[in-house]
């Protein structure tokens, strides 16, 4: 049984995902929240989920940073980004923060359930990152950040990355936080631009 927590700022989305999860015999709904920092960490501590379905765009916080923090603070938890803004521009940031998958909110319930199963089986549901994607993301970055992005995109774990670059794990994590802010994709929805 996979315990799932949903983090999304829209109550209707949380309720819809709850209904999908409760209809699946292999899944258990463990709770939901809107992503506020003061709420999120107690929710994760009390609900003890196996997987967090995390909205990419949260108005009070950054879903990419939240994912990265979860993956380092609670590494056993799988994180799948659940977003209306999915696209190639989100793939590299999702890879860098350690997301286990990306699912579009308009996807069928079966696709959402399949993504959770793949994540729990240790698989990742992320589109391939091309060399061109990495080069575009690195354009304008300082050299040390470029090296971090290139190694993470190649699948090098942060501990190995720190060793190869002769840096501490803390330095690497600080660099990743800076990189997240630098390459966070710009996504258009109607007449608004979210960054």
């Amino acid at each position: 049984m996979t315990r799932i927590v949903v983090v999304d700022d829209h109550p209707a989305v949380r309720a819809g995902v709850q209904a999908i999860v409760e209809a699946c015999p292999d899944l258990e709904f463990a709770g939901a929240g809107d992503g506020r920092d003061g709420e999120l960490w107690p929710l994760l501590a009390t609900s003890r989920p196996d997987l967090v379905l995390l909205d990419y765009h949260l108005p009070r916080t950054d879903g990419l940073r939240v994912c990265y923090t979860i993956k380092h603070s609670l590494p056993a938890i799988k994180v799948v980004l659940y977003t209306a803004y999915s696209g190639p521009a989100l793939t590299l940031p999702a890879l860098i923060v350690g997301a286990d998958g990306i699912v579009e909110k308009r996807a069928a319930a079966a696709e959402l359930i399949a993504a959770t199963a793949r994540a729990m089986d240790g698989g990742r549901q992320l589109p391939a990152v091309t060399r061109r994607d990495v080069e575009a993301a690195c354009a304008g970055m300082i050299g040390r950040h470029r090296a971090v992005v290139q190694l993470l995109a190649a699948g090098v774990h942060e501990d190995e990355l720190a060793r190869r670059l002769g840096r501490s794990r803390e330095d690497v994590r600080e660099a990743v936080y800076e990189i997240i802010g630098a390459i966070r994709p710009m996504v258009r929805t109607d007449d608004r631009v979210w960054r």
Side-chain angles (χ1 to χ4, degrees):
M1 183 77 66
T2 299
R3 294 174 52 78
I4 295 180
V5 160
V6 180
V7 179
D8 195 291
D9 60 319
H10 297 289
V13 171
R14 294 193 304 263
V17 173
Q18 180 176 353
I20 291 169
V21 169
E22 288 177 344
C24 184
D26 297 332
L27 304 178
E28 179 182 345
F29 182 76
D34 66 4
R36 288 179 296 174
D37 201 38
E39 165 195 88
L40 179 61
W41 302 107
L43 172 63
L44 295 180
T46 58
S47 64
R48 301 169 49 113
D50 300 302
L51 185 141
V52 174
L53 201 56
L54 177 65
D55 191 6
Y56 155 69
H57 181 262
L58 297 168
R60 295 177 194 87
T61 187
D62 179 336
L64 293 170
R65 291 180 194 272
V66 171
C67 177
Y68 187 69
T69 304
I70 290 171
K71 296 303 284 185
H72 283 280
S73 302
L74 304 164
I77 296 177
K78 304 295 185 181
V79 179
V80 173
L81 295 176
Y82 190 53
T83 179
Y85 313 123
S86 180
L90 185 55
T91 304
L92 182 59
L95 179 67
I96 287 171
V97 299
D100 297 288
I102 300 173
V103 177
E104 291 190 16
K105 288 182 178 178
R106 62 180 168 248
E111 188 176 332
L112 175 60
I113 291 166
T116 64
R118 266 191 300 279
M120 292 309 299
D121 286 341
R124 278 184 140 175
Q125 183 174 323
L126 295 172
V129 174
T130 67
R131 181 181 180 128
R132 187 173 169 184
D133 295 332
V134 175
E135 289 170 0
C138 290
M141 277 189 190
I142 59 175
R144 68 186 183 105
H145 285 14
R146 245 186 247 127
V148 171
V149 169
Q150 290 166 341
L151 289 169
L152 288 173
V156 176
H157 188 273
E158 282 185 15
D159 291 339
E160 173 63 14
L161 187 150
R163 189 190 67 72
R164 285 189 193 183
L165 298 178
R167 298 168 65 183
S168 70
R169 288 183 357 194
E170 292 74 24
D171 285 346
V172 169
R173 288 185 183 169
E174 183 179 319
V176 171
Y177 274 112
E178 292 171 8
I179 290 164
I180 293 167
I183 68 169
R184 186 172 176 200
M186 184 175 291
V187 182
R188 294 189 177 275
T189 67
D190 299 326
D191 59 342
R192 297 182 296 173
V193 176
W194 301 102
R195 186 162 179 92

